[in-house]
């Protein structure tokens, strides 16, 4: 089955990311969000991971291997939630 994944590098505050998560999940409840940003913003993303609003955080600069691992992890997570 398909696993809806959104990878975003949109900078913002914790509240802005929570709003984005709520808005997107209103249309796609199974969506898994992955955020990319600077290490300085990592604390914002770790809090969101703790609330379930975000699946994972990828520090920049991104590498193809890191993105691939994040997507594979999101797929596994999706399958665990589904079954």
């Amino acid at each position: 089955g398909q696993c809806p994944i959104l990878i975003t590098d949109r900078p913002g505050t914790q509240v802005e990311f929570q709003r984005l998560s709520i808005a997107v999940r209103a249309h796609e409840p199974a969506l898994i969000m992955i955020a990319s940003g600077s290490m300085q913003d990592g604390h914002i993303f770790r809090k969101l991971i703790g609330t379930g609003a975000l699946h994972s955080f990828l520090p920049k600069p991104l590498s193809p291997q890191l993105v691939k691992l994040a997507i594979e992890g999101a797929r596994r997570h999706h399958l665990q939630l589904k079954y």
Side-chain angles (χ1 to χ4, degrees):
Q2 291 186 348
C3 173
I5 299 172
L6 171 65
I7 301 176
T8 179
D9 68 350
R10 182 183 172 274
T13 65
Q14 182 176 352
V15 171
E16 290 170 333
F17 270 94
Q18 285 174 324
R19 287 181 184 153
L20 175 62
S21 175
I22 291 167
V24 173
R25 287 192 174 134
H27 297 284
E28 183 58 63
L31 180 84
I32 296 176
M33 287 185 61
I34 299 171
S36 174
S38 69
M39 289 301 289
Q40 292 85 357
D41 293 333
H43 68 283
I44 293 171
F45 299 112
R46 283 189 290 281
K47 290 178 183 177
L48 291 170
I49 291 168
T51 67
L54 186 66
H55 177 265
S56 57
F57 167 67
L58 303 176
K60 290 183 179 180
L62 298 177
S63 70
Q65 297 84 1
L66 184 61
V67 173
K68 182 180 177 183
L69 286 172
I71 291 171
E72 289 171 355
R75 284 185 184 143
R76 283 192 302 276
H77 180 75
H78 176 75
L79 289 173
Q80 289 172 350
L81 292 176
K82 192 173 179 179
Y83 300 105

